[in-house]
């Protein structure tokens, strides 16, 4: 192939060398192997003359950036979430956005369950206790927690990952499953995951363990705050594997310190990678640094899907997982 005619792309963060290699077979690639975090003006500068960008979920793509990058045609996110995209601005500029759904569903559901179990059974707290040399005797109430098997599992946000969590709870742990979602699932889908639709208030009141799998938006901002936490059982566990900002982290830290709820497991945070320092003071919270999809096969599949979207769109005009397909064919 005549390399001068090949499209040019930017890979905004370090990714698997195999994926860089695959993209290099189709494009002139500018990669970021040292994984520098480019400020916005630097990102815009590096996007000059590029038709595509491989993003990882942290790079804000909005009207101001797009105005500086008139040649850009596609932004391919290596994430199912795309709250880093201003999709309306991208559509207005004729720029396609793609995400990476499906390939991370089961892995992320596993992580939700890991956090649920670790929080309910005080696993990390127990390890800290043991490592600190505090274990010197048996006690009937030492690090006593809550049951998972047979307890009521609540799910807020019943997309693919929510349904995968419901399946684990219902089939593996004999849990009655209740859920709330913007729209109710069809009856067959509810039956498949043995889940019952309830109002948000009922979900808060009835759940022994409540898992949040909600994307971030203006509508979902602080969907769980002080008022919602006040409705939950004092024995309840709250897990957030959706997005930071869905929970009011300051209100949650206060509820955990006051033992208003028993425990929490958090993989996502408001303003991450920074987190509310009050959370670090709570012994009854399990904290992980947004690793919901972090297994080798899943991250490979996510990167591969983002790469295939770039290759498909810039070489044949077709993408596998377009978010705004109405722009296809416009430019
Ligand atoms: C996603 O894909 O949105 C997950 O949060 C991993 O980044």
């Amino acid at each position: 192939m005549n390399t001068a005619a090949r499209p040019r792309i930017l890979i905004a963060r370090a990714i698997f060398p195999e994926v860089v290699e695959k993209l290099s077979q189709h494009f002139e690639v500018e990669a970021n192997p040292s994984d520098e975090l480019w400020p916005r003006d630097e990102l815009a500068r590096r996007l000059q003359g590029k038709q595509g960008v491989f993003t990882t979920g942290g790079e804000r793509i909005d009207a101001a950036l797009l105005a500086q990058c008139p040649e850009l045609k596609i932004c391919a996110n290596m994430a199912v979430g795309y709250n880093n995209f201003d999709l309306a601005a991208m559509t207005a500029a004729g720029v396609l956005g793609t995400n990476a759904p499906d390939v991370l569903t089961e892995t992320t559901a596993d992580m939700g369950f890991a956090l649920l179990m670790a929080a309910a059974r005080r696993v990390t707290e127990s390890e800290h206790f043991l490592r600190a040399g505090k274990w010197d005797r048996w006690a009937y109430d030492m690090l006593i927690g809550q049951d998972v098997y047979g307890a009521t599992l609540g799910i807020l946000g019943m997309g693919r990952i929510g349904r995968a969590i419901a399946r684990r709870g219902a089939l593996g742990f004999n849990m009655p499953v209740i859920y709330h979602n913007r729209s109710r699932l069809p009856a067959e889908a509810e039956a498949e995951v043995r889940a019952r639709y309830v109002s948000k208030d009922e979900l808060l009141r009835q759940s022994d363990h409540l898992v949040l799998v909600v994307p971030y938006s203006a509508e979902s901002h602080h969907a769980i705050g002080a008022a919602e936490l006040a409705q939950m059982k004092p024995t309840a566990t709250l897990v957030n594997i959706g997005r930071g900002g869905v929970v009011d982290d300051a209100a949650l830290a206060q509820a955990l310190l006051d033992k208003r709820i028993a425990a929490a497991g958090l993989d996502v945070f408001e303003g991450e990678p920074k987190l509310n320092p009050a959370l670090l003071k709570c012994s009854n919270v399990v904290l992980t640094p947004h690793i919901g999809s972090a297994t080798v096969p899943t991250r490979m599949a996510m990167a591969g899907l983002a790469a295939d979207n770039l290759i498909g769109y810039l070489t044949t005009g077709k993408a596998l997982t377009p978010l705004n397909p109405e722009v296809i064919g416009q430019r």
Side-chain angles (χ1 to χ4, degrees):
M1 194 191 281
N2 173 7
T3 53
R6 301 199 314 168
R8 288 180 295 275
I9 66 156
L10 179 70
I11 304 176
R13 298 288 308 276
I15 56 160
F16 298 100
E18 302 91 308
V19 177
V20 178
E21 173 54 32
K22 176 174 168 170
L23 287 164
S24 303
Q25 289 167 15
H26 299 268
F27 306 123
E28 295 303 311
V29 172
E30 179 180 344
N32 182 6
S34 57
D35 208 22
E36 278 175 68
L37 292 178
W38 295 322
R40 273 171 68 79
D41 53 349
E42 177 74 5
L43 179 64
R45 190 182 69 69
R46 290 180 186 266
L47 280 172
Q48 296 311 302
K50 308 283 194 316
Q51 288 79 51
V53 59
F54 185 117
T55 50
T56 57
E59 306 80 5
R60 179 91 191 129
I61 307 291
D62 56 16
L65 184 96
L66 293 169
Q68 297 175 67
C69 311
E71 288 188 50
L72 196 61
K73 291 185 179 160
I74 172 170
C75 304
N77 232 16
M78 181 189 152
V80 65
Y82 51 91
N83 51 305
N84 57 317
F85 288 172
D86 179 339
L87 207 56
M90 290 169 67
T91 304
V95 174
L96 185 70
T98 63
N99 68 339
D102 298 320
V103 291
L104 48 52
T105 299
E106 301 301 340
T107 299
T108 309
D110 281 350
M111 188 66 197
F113 239 84
L115 285 174
L116 191 168
M117 297 195 71
R121 296 301 309 274
R122 305 176 65 176
V123 173
T124 54
E125 200 182 343
S126 293
E127 185 176 351
H128 291 149
F129 175 87
L130 187 150
R131 285 179 187 269
K134 293 181 181 167
W135 186 28
D136 62 355
R137 71 191 73 183
W138 179 91
Y140 78 95
D141 59 350
M142 185 179 81
L143 293 157
I144 202 162
Q146 302 297 328
D147 273 320
V148 175
Y149 187 89
T152 298
L153 173 63
I155 300 174
L156 184 64
M158 204 56 149
R160 302 173 190 86
I161 299 171
R163 293 200 295 275
I165 290 168
R167 228 174 272 122
R168 281 161 177 71
L171 306 181
F173 288 79
N174 196 29
M175 299 171 91
V177 179
I178 54 178
Y179 78 99
H180 184 75
N181 198 41
R182 259 189 319 189
S183 46
R184 188 172 171 172
L185 295 181
E188 324 77 78
E190 283 186 352
E192 193 250 316
V193 297
R194 299 196 203 161
R196 184 167 64 85
Y197 183 81
V198 294
S199 68
K200 184 175 167 190
D201 284 346
E202 195 177 343
L203 184 79
L204 293 166
R205 287 195 301 264
Q206 300 292 324
S207 298
D208 291 316
H209 307 290
L210 176 57
V211 182
L212 311 177
V213 205
V214 182
Y216 182 76
S217 66
E219 195 191 329
S220 67
H221 178 76
H222 286 186
I224 302 293
E228 289 75 18
L229 291 161
Q231 293 190 64
M232 293 177 67
K233 297 180 185 182
T235 49
T237 306
L238 179 74
V239 171
N240 188 8
I241 54 164
R243 273 290 181 271
V246 170
V247 175
D248 176 345
D249 284 348
L252 175 60
Q254 196 58 52
L256 289 165
L257 285 170
D258 295 347
K259 304 283 190 292
R260 186 56 214 82
I261 64 169
L266 306 176
D267 188 45
V268 289
F269 304 89
E270 282 190 285
E272 63 184 52
K274 294 202 178 105
L275 68 162
N276 190 312
L279 286 171
L280 297 172
K281 299 203 176 94
C282 305
S283 56
N284 49 347
V285 61
V286 180
L287 305 167
T288 52
H290 202 148
I291 56 166
S293 62
T295 67
V296 175
T298 293
R299 286 281 165 88
M300 278 294 286
M302 292 164 73
L305 181 50
D308 287 342
N309 274 315
L310 284 162
I311 295 165
Y313 194 54
L314 292 177
T315 64
T316 69
K318 291 186 186 133
L320 294 168
T321 50
L323 294 165
N324 50 348
E326 59 273 32
V327 307
I328 295 177
Q330 277 180 13
R331 300 169 55 195

